Amino acid sequence: MDKMTALVDFLCLDEECGKTVNFNVMELKEKEGLLTCPHCYRQYSFSDSSFIDKLEKLRNLLIAVKDAEDILGDVNVGVNTIAGSAKIPYRLLLTRMNTVITLEVGGFKIDFNFRVEPAKSGDFH
């Protein structure tokens, strides 16, 4: 499999900054959970094993979706309403949904945003 990028972002916790911090979840383990805000240079150490485990599960989910890319065109999600039912292509859902995982880090609840776009060659944004 090609090297995959899975960009995730969150808002910097520094009150004077509040800008977006991006990271590649596929490389977080290699960086030993260390991140730096590119704007104010606040350092983040995601060393809590349960937090790293959750991001590792997210990484594994993204790899599984990438591995299933060749069948996504054949997979649909059925939605039933009073007006009837519809089949929504799974690939379309993945490219249109914004996914947010909210985790507690250092006593703060942080929304980590990521977007999955399997239609792009190797990149999940």
Side-chain angles (χ1 to χ4, degrees):
M1 180 188 318
D2 297 332
K3 184 168 173 128
M4 186 169 40
T5 301
L7 298 178
V8 178
D9 66 69
F10 64 95
L11 294 179
C12 181
L13 296 178
D14 188 296
E15 291 178 8
E16 294 179 14
C17 180
K19 295 190 176 160
T20 302
V21 179
N22 295 302
F23 65 96
N24 181 358
V25 75
M26 308 309 253
E27 297 174 349
L28 189 61
K29 196 172 193 177
E30 296 165 10
K31 293 183 178 185
E32 298 177 351
L34 299 174
L35 297 175
T36 302
C37 175
H39 309 284
C40 72
Y41 305 105
R42 178 179 176 151
Q43 296 226 331
Y44 294 90
S45 175
F46 298 123
S47 58
D48 178 85
S49 63
S50 66
F51 178 77
I52 296 295
D53 287 345
K54 288 176 183 177
L55 288 180
E56 185 68 16
K57 288 178 182 177
L58 172 60
R59 178 186 176 280
N60 292 339
L61 173 64
L62 294 173
I63 289 170
V65 169
K66 177 67 178 162
D67 286 344
E69 188 172 26
D70 63 330
I71 66 163
L72 290 180
D74 300 323
V75 177
N76 297 291
V77 175
V79 177
N80 295 317
T81 66
I82 295 173
S85 63
K87 289 183 182 178
I88 302 170
Y90 194 74
R91 179 184 287 271
L92 180 64
L93 284 177
L94 289 176
T95 60
R96 298 295 185 257
M97 291 189 317
N98 288 333
T99 303
V100 177
I101 182 171
T102 303
L103 301 173
E104 188 170 326
V105 179
F108 296 96
K109 289 205 177 229
I110 300 177
D111 289 337
F112 292 87
N113 305 294
F114 65 97
R115 285 149 299 283
V116 178
E117 295 180 1
K120 297 207 173 193
S121 58
D123 285 346
F124 286 69
H125 297 284

